[in-house]
C-alpha cells in the first residue's frame, strides 16, 4: 500500500509548520503553526497555511497531532478547528493547557486525546509513539509514525540534544537508539540551525553567564526572554534567590507560562520571592529583579513600554541593567534597536547575547543533526523546518552521515512524497500557500488581498462619482473626482476630467460602459504621468 | 564671538548625515545625506532631512562641504540645491564626479569649488582644511574647521585607520598629529562601529580570504560588493588576472564607479580582461568572474535578477559560486535571504562574510576611535553618526581616553551646540526631522503623510456619496456607501446607512453639517465594531 507525507508549511521556510501523513483511509496532521507577519504586511497579525488541500482528503479519518506549544506549531490550530470542528487533537497535557487558553478565545472546545511519554497509540492503521525530546519549551515530542507495520517515519520537528537541561529530562538517547534498532525508514528533522557548526549546547550552559551579570549589577535587573522558556525562568528564579533579590513578574503571556509550568512541577519557587509593582517601589534597587515580556521589542510588551516610560510609573534610571536573554528573530531588528536605544537614552545598560553567552538556542546544530542520524539510522532523510539553504545544507549533512544521495530528499511546502514497498516512488505537487489574517477585521486575505493593501498605501485611491445616471451624455458637472493617499493638483484634475468626458465622443458608446471606459483611461493617465497604479473606484449614481 | 555646530541628521541614527557649523555671518553645512526607506514605508524611495532650520539662517553665507560620495552623505544634495540653488558646493573632484551624475538627472549645475588634499581655504571667517582619510570609498575627507582663529572643530564623519589600503593612501597619522599639535578644541567623529572591540583592520586583510574562494572554485564566480568600494574591486580584478579568469561587469552603479575610479587612476586593469555577456557564453566556467550589483538583495539589482533567472539568459547551475563581499545593512535581511535561497535552489553556492572574512568595514572600531582621540587630543568630544547606544559608548570611550566627563557631549539631530571663549555655553533645540520622498509622484511627505499612507493600507477607505444636495432631509436613496481595502458585508452596510440617516432626527441640524455628523459617527461605528480607523471620504453632491 502507498503511504505519504505532505507539507502545507515549514518546509522551505522558518515557521508555519504543518505536515500531513496519510494512508488510504487515515491521515495524521503534525502541527498547525503560524508565521509572524512582516512589518510590511499591512494590518496582518498572523500568517497561516492555506488549508485547501484538506478538502481533497476529507473522506479520511484525520487526527491532529501536536509536537509542542510554540506558536509556529500551534498558532493556526484555532483556524483549523473552526473549519474542521470534529478533528480530534492529540497533544501532551502541558501543550494542551497552553493551547486551550487561545482556543477558548474562539469558543473552541476541541475533541482531544492526551499523549503519554513513550507510550504508543493507534489511529486506524497508524501506530504513533511520542518521545519527549529537549527543546526550549516543556513537553516537546518527537514522533515515530508507523503505518501498517509497513513504513516507519520519524518526525522530530524542533529539538536539540541537551544532556543536562535545567528542569526537563535529558534527550532520550537510549529510547531513540531502540527506535533505530526497531527500524526507521524515513527521518524528517528540524533544519533551522543545521548550518551552525558544533553542538547547540545545553540550557545549563547559560547559567554562569547570567550569574555574572547578577553579581556585577548593583542596580535593578530587568530580565526578558521568550515567555515559553520556563527553564530560563527557573535559572533566573534560582539566581534571584541566591543573590537575595525579589522578583516582579509582568506580562500576560509570561504569567500564563509560569502558571502552567508551576502546575506541572516544571518551575518551582517560593511564593514569598514574588513582590508586586507597589512593593517594588519601597525596595532597594539591588534587591530587585523584574522579569517581563518584550525580548523581541514587541510594541505592546512590558519592556518596550518601560523603555518609553509608558508602563505604570516605572522610570529607567542610572544603574538599571536590562538583560535580553534571547536572539533577534529576523525582521525584529529595527524594533529591538529602538527599545535598546531608549533604554540607554534614560541611563540604563543593556546586555544582549552579542555581549555575553546569556542565550542558547533550542534548535539542533550540525553535530546534533549528525548524532540524530547516527542514532536513528534512517534509509531516507527529509529535512524540514528551514529556509531552502538550511534544507540543502541538511541534505549534504545526511550524505556525510551515510544516507544515500538519492535518499536525501529536497522537500518543500506544497509537495507530497509517496512511498511504496519502502521506496520513494513519487513527489507530487499539492495546493498550498499562505493566508494573511487580520484579526480586527476578521478577514483572511490571500496573497492578492495582501498586494491590494500594499498597493493602496503606495498608490492611493482615485474616486470618480458620475451622477449622469441613465443619460449617456455626461456633462462636466456630473463628474466629481477625489484622490485619497496622494494629492492631485487642480491642473491634473481638470486634465483627467477632460479625458473622462472623452466618453461622449466615443463611437461605440452602447458597447462600452462609462465605468469600463473610465477605468481604462484613468489607468493610462496615471501610468503615463506618474507611473503609478492607484486603486480606481467609479461610482455611477 | 559665539560659534556653533548643529545636526539635522546622523546624530542618533545611522545615515542622513547633515551638520551645520556657524559663525555670525557664515555657515558651513557638512554633508547632506539620505537614509534608505524601510520596507514598511509605503512608496517611499528616500528619507531626507527636514531643511526648515536653514530658513532661519538664510541671511548667512552658506557653503555646502562634502566629505565623501556615499549616499548617506550626498544623497539629499539634489533636494537641497533645488531649494537653495545658489549654494556653493565644495568637494573633492572624485566625489563631485560621482555626485554630478545624480544632480544632472535633476538638471542641477551646482556652483562648485574643488578641494585639494591638505590645502586649507577660507570661507568668510572660516578656515577649512581637508585631510584625506581612509574609508570604503576614494576621496573621503576629514575636515579641520577653524572659525576666526578662535575655535577649531575637527569633523571626521566616516573613517577607519587603515595603514595599508589597496589603492588609497594610508591614514594620514602624521598630518593629524600636527593638527593635534596646532590644537583641536572639539572633535566630532564617526560612531557606527565604535562598540566593536579592537581595530577594524585594513582593506588588505580580505584579499587572502577572497583568494581562497577563487582557488577552491572550479565553476563560475559571481562577485558582489558595495558598488562604490573600488578597492575591493581592484582586489577582484587582481585575483581574476592571477587565476586566469575573464571579467564581466554588470550594473549601472557599478559601471559608474568603475569609470570614475579608473579615470582617477584608483582602479587599474587591462581592457582585455573584460568580456561581454555574449562572449561569456563561449567560455569555460572556471575562466569567468562575473562582478555585479546586488549585495543588499535590491530587487532591481543584477544578482537578485539572476537569482530569479530573470537576467538576460544567465541560468545558475551546479558549480557556480556567489561571493557576497559585504555586510547585511539592517532591514535588508529578508531580501538577501530570499536571494541566497533562490541561488541554492538552482544549484549555486553562496559565500558570505559569515562564512569567511571576505568583507571588512570602512568604519572605525573601538581602538581606531581611541587612537584618533590620542592623535588629535581634543578638549571636547562630540560623537556623531550612530544610534544612541553608539554615541553613548563613544562618550565613555572618550572619557577612558582622558576627555573630561563634562566635555564628552551627548548630541542628537535637532540640537545645536554653542561655544564661546572655547567653552560650551549652551545646547539648544532646533527644528529637525525626516521627510519621505516618493520619487514617482514627486511628493515629499512629512511623518503624518507617511502615517496616512500606512493607515490607508491597514484600515482602508470608507466612502459615502450623499446626493441630497441642498435638501436637508436625506433619503435612503441619497446615500451610496463603498469600502476600499476591506469588504463590508451587507448587514453592516445597512447598519451604517441607518446610523447616517440618524442625521435627519438631529435637533441642531443647522449647526452640524452632514459631513461632520457622518465623519464622527462612521469613526465611532468602526472603532466599536472592528477597532479600525478607515480613512473617511464624504462627498456631497
Amino acid at each position: 500500500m502507498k503511504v505519504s507525507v505532505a507539507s502545507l508549511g515549514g518546509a522551505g521556510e522558518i515557521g508555519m509548520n504543518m505536515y500531513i501523513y496519510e494512508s488510504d483511509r487515515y491521515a495524521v496532521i503534525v502541527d498547525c503553526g503560524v508565521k509572524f507577519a512582516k512589518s510590511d504586511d499591512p494590518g496582518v497579525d498572523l500568517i497561516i497555511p492555506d488549508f485547501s488541500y484538506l478538502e481533497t482528503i476529507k473522506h479520511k479519518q484525520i487526527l491532529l497531532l501536536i509536537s509542542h506549544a510554540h506558536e509556529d506549531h500551534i498558532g493556526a490550530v484555532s483556524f483549523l478547528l473552526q473549519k474542521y470542528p470534529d478533528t480530534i487533537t492529540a497533544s501532551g497535557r502541558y501543550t494542551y493547557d497552553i493551547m486551550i487558553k487561545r482556543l477558548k478565545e474562539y469558543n473552541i472546545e476541541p475533541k482531544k486525546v492526551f499523549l503519554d511519554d513513550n507510550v504508543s497509540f493507534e489511529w486506524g492503521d497508524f501506530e504513533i509513539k511520542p518521545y519527549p525530546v529537549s527543546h526550549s519549551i516543556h513537553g516537546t515530542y518527537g514522533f515515530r509514525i508507523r503505518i501498517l507495520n509497513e513504513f516507519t517515519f520519524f518526525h522530530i520537528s524542533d529539538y536539540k540534544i541537551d544532556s543536562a537541561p535545567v528542569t526537563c529530562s535529558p534527550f532520550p538517547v537510549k529510547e531513540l537508539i531502540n527506535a533505530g534498532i526497531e527500524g526507521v525508514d524515513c527521518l524528517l528533522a528540524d533544519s533551522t540551525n543545521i548550518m551552525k557548526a558544533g553542538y547547540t549546547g545545553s540550557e545549563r550552559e547559560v547559567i554562569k553567564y547570567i550569574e555574572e551579570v547578577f553579581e556585577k549589577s548593583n542596580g535593578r535587573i530587568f530580565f526578558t526572554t521568550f515567555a515559553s522558556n520556563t527553564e530560563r525562568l527557573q535559572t533566573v528564579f534560582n539566581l534571584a534567590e541566591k543573590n537575595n533579590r525579589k522578583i516582579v513578574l509582568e506580562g500576560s503571556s509570561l504569567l500564563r507560562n509560569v502558571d502552567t509550568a508551576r502546575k506541572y512541577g516544571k518551575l518551582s519557587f517560593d511564593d514569598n520571592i514574588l513582590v508586586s509593582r507597589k512593593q517594588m517601589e519601597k525596595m532597594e534597587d539591588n534587591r530587585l529583579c523584574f522579569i517581563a515580556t518584550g525580548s523581541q521589542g514587541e510594541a505592546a510588551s512590558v519592556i518596550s513600554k518601560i523603555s518609553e516610560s509608558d508602563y505604570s510609573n516605572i522610570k529607567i534610571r542610572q544603574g538599571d541593567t536590562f538583560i535580553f536573554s534571547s536572539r533577534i528573530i529576523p525582521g525584529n531588528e529595527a524594533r529591538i534597536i529602538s527599545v535598546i536605544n531608549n533604554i540607554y537614552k534614560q541611563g540604563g545598560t543593556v546586555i544582549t547575547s552579542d555581549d555575553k553567552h546569556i542565550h542558547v538556542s533550542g534548535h539542533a546544530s550540525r553535530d546534533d543533526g549528525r548524532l540524530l542520524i547516527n542514532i536513528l539510522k534512517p534509509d531516507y532523510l527529509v529535512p524540514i523546518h528551514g529556509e531552502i539553504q538550511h534544507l540543502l545544507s541538511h541534505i549534504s549533512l545526511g550524505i556525510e552521515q551515510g544516507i544515500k544521495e538519492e535518499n536525501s530528499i529536497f522537500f518543500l511546502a506544497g509537495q507530497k512524497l509517496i512511498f511504496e514497498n519502502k521506496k520513494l516512488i513519487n513527489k507530487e505537487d499539492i495546493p498550498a500557500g499562505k493566508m494573511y489574517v487580520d484579526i480586527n477585521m476578521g478577514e483572511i486575505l490571500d496573497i492578492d488581498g495582501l498586494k491590494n493593501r500594499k498597493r493602496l498605501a503606495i498608490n492611493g485611491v482615485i474616486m470618480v462619482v458620475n451622477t449622469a445616471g441613465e443619460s449617456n451624455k455626461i456633462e462636466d458637472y456630473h463628474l466629481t473626482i477625489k484622490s485619497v493617499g496622494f494629492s492631485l493638483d487642480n491642473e491634473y484634475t481638470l486634465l483627467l476630467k477632460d479625458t473622462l468626458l472623452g466618453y461622449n465622443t466615443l463611437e461605440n458608446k452602447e458597447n462600452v460602459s462609462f465605468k469600463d471606459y473610465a477605468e481604462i483611461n484613468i489607468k493610462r493617465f496615471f501610468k503615463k504621468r506618474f507611473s503609478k497604479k492607484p486603486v480606481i473606484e467609479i461610482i455611477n449614481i
Side-chain angles (χ1 to χ4, degrees), chain A:
Chain A
M1 192 189 73
K2 291 183 179 134
V3 302
S4 66
V5 59
S7 170
L8 295 183
E13 68 200 317
I14 291 176
M16 211 175 86
N17 288 281
M18 185 168 184
Y19 307 89
I20 306 171
Y21 294 86
E22 294 174 62
S23 66
D24 288 348
R25 293 174 39 242
Y26 293 86
V28 173
I29 300 172
V30 178
D31 293 338
C32 187
V34 295
K35 202 173 170 125
F36 292 108
K38 298 195 306 301
S39 57
D40 60 346
D41 296 337
V44 177
D45 305 290
L46 295 171
I47 304 174
I48 63 172
D50 175 346
F51 296 138
S52 43
Y53 171 70
L54 297 181
E55 283 303 299
T56 68
I57 60 168
K58 274 223 301 283
H59 57 287
K60 302 189 180 183
Q61 303 262 10
I62 300 181
L63 177 75
L64 173 61
L65 184 63
I66 303 295
S67 67
H68 64 289
H70 278 151
E71 287 301 314
D72 57 336
H73 295 261
I74 63 168
V77 168
S78 56
F79 298 93
L80 185 74
L81 293 185
Q82 283 173 72
K83 203 146 184 253
Y84 303 100
D86 294 335
T87 314
I88 294 176
T89 302
S91 73
R93 287 174 179 74
Y94 186 85
T95 300
Y96 182 81
D97 269 18
I98 291 173
M99 194 166 57
I100 193 64
K101 295 188 175 77
R102 168 75 44 79
L103 297 183
K104 285 229 173 84
E105 294 166 14
Y106 292 87
N107 307 314
I108 297 170
E109 261 306 341
K111 303 186 177 172
K112 62 175 186 291
V113 295
F114 288 127
L115 306 174
D116 292 309
D117 298 3
N118 306 308
V119 178
S120 2
F121 67 99
E122 296 194 346
W123 178 258
D125 39 31
F126 282 69
E127 186 216 295
I128 298 163
K129 185 171 181 184
Y131 296 81
V133 298
S134 30
H135 183 40
S136 49
I137 184 172
H138 283 297
T140 302
Y141 285 117
F143 298 112
R144 181 173 72 179
I145 300 174
R146 182 167 274 176
I147 306 177
L148 288 162
N149 296 314
E150 202 181 78
F151 197 87
T152 303
F153 291 102
F154 204 100
H155 183 107
I156 181 164
S157 56
D158 296 3
Y159 78 99
K160 69 173 172 180
I161 296 179
D162 190 338
S163 307
V166 174
T167 59
C168 301
S169 40
F171 189 82
V173 179
K174 185 164 144 294
E175 290 75 4
L176 291 200
I177 284 178
N178 290 334
I181 293 165
E182 289 157 25
V184 173
D185 298 307
C186 179
L187 168 64
L188 292 89
D190 181 9
S191 310
T192 54
N193 277 4
I194 209 70
M195 291 175 85
K196 296 217 170 74
Y199 284 98
T200 296
S202 171
E203 175 64 28
R204 195 169 294 274
E205 286 303 317
V206 303
I207 296 176
K208 61 173 171 300
Y209 298 98
I210 298 175
E211 182 160 25
E212 282 177 19
V213 184
F214 268 77
E215 283 164 351
K216 280 214 191 68
S217 145
N218 308 318
R220 298 181 297 183
I221 289 176
F222 294 79
F223 185 93
T224 184
T225 185
F226 300 101
S228 60
N229 191 335
T230 51
E231 288 204 289
R232 192 73 46 86
L233 296 178
Q234 183 69 71
T235 295
V236 177
F237 272 94
N238 296 347
L239 289 173
E241 182 154 30
K242 187 169 169 192
N243 292 267
N244 188 10
R245 287 180 183 258
K246 295 291 187 187
I247 284 176
V248 183
L249 279 179
E250 300 277 335
S252 52
S253 63
L254 188 67
L255 295 170
R256 260 208 310 281
N257 281 278
V258 166
D259 289 344
T260 313
R262 242 185 142 182
K263 171 176 160 197
Y264 286 89
K266 295 301 186 182
L267 176 63
S268 57
F269 55 85
D270 187 324
D271 275 322
N272 65 33
I273 198 173
L274 295 177
V275 296
S276 68
R277 272 211 309 275
K278 279 216 124 335
Q279 296 169 287
M280 152 180 178
E281 290 156 26
K282 305 186 208 63
M283 297 176 52
E284 306 250 312
D285 287 2
N286 62 0
R287 289 283 152 263
L288 201 73
C289 177
F290 192 101
I291 307 178
T293 52
S295 71
Q296 297 306 307
E298 307 91 328
S301 69
V302 175
I303 292 295
S304 142
K305 289 208 167 116
I306 288 177
S307 76
E308 287 157 353
S309 319
D310 183 23
Y311 194 75
S312 88
N313 50 7
I314 297 176
K315 296 265 164 294
I316 298 174
R317 52 178 173 252
Q318 217 74 29
D320 289 345
T321 303
F322 286 72
I323 305 176
F324 283 69
S325 179
S326 52
R327 72 182 185 100
I328 297 182
I329 293 173
N332 298 342
E333 293 80 3
R335 268 188 282 144
I336 295 176
I337 286 173
S338 97
V339 169
I340 290 178
N341 279 328
N342 287 333
I343 292 169
Y344 274 111
K345 203 168 176 178
Q346 297 162 71
T349 311
V350 178
I351 293 168
T352 72
S353 48
D354 294 342
D355 308 311
K356 251 179 191 297
H357 183 47
I358 55 174
H359 172 68
V360 62
S361 167
H363 292 277
S365 298
R366 214 152 176 77
D367 284 342
D368 303 77
R370 294 185 191 282
L371 183 50
L372 184 71
I373 292 170
N374 291 357
I375 288 173
L376 290 173
K377 304 195 175 317
D379 297 328
Y380 286 89
L381 172 68
V382 179
I384 55 172
H385 201 199
E387 307 271 359
I388 288 166
Q389 54 177 318
H390 306 127
L391 302 183
L392 289 165
S393 169
H394 200 172
I395 284 174
S396 41
L397 178 87
I399 295 164
E400 288 167 31
Q401 296 308 112
I403 306 280
K404 288 208 204 84
E405 198 160 338
E406 65 274 24
N407 289 6
S408 301
I409 310 299
F410 181 56
F411 172 62
L412 294 174
Q415 295 181 332
K416 180 180 190 171
L417 302 174
I418 302 170
F419 296 86
E420 192 170 30
N421 305 325
K422 295 202 177 283
K423 293 265 157 281
L424 177 68
I425 58 164
N426 200 5
K427 191 201 255 186
E428 282 178 5
D429 290 338
I430 60 167
K434 297 182 171 56
M435 304 298 285
Y436 302 84
V437 183
D438 178 334
I439 290 175
N440 291 338
M441 287 301 293
E443 272 191 291
I444 300 185
L445 312 163
D446 59 13
I447 185 68
D448 295 328
L450 183 71
K451 282 184 181 152
N452 281 335
R453 285 190 170 199
K454 292 186 179 179
R455 183 173 156 211
L456 205 52
I458 296 171
N459 297 276
V461 188
I462 184 84
M463 289 180 272
V464 176
V465 183
N466 170 21
T467 54
E470 291 317 304
S471 120
N472 62 7
K473 173 92 176 72
I474 299 169
E475 304 293 348
D476 180 273
Y477 62 81
H478 286 135
L479 298 181
T480 313
I481 297 179
K482 250 189 173 303
S483 67
V484 183
F486 63 92
S487 53
L488 193 67
D489 61 32
N490 213 2
E491 170 203 352
Y492 280 119
T493 312
L494 294 175
L495 216 56
L496 183 55
K497 229 178 194 186
D498 292 344
T499 316
L500 294 176
L501 290 171
Y503 180 72
N504 292 322
T505 62
L506 215 60
E507 266 80 21
N508 54 342
K509 271 235 259 346
E510 50 291 334
N511 318 335
V512 187
S513 72
F514 173 74
K515 195 166 185 305
D516 297 342
Y517 175 85
E519 274 168 0
I520 294 160
N521 286 282
I522 293 175
K523 207 167 176 184
R524 283 210 197 101
F525 183 89
F526 281 94
K527 193 159 176 25
K528 179 154 153 260
R529 288 179 180 69
F530 307 108
S531 57
K532 276 230 163 193
K533 292 185 180 153
V535 176
I536 301 168
E537 276 299 330
I538 312 294
I539 305 176
N540 288 313
I541 291 172

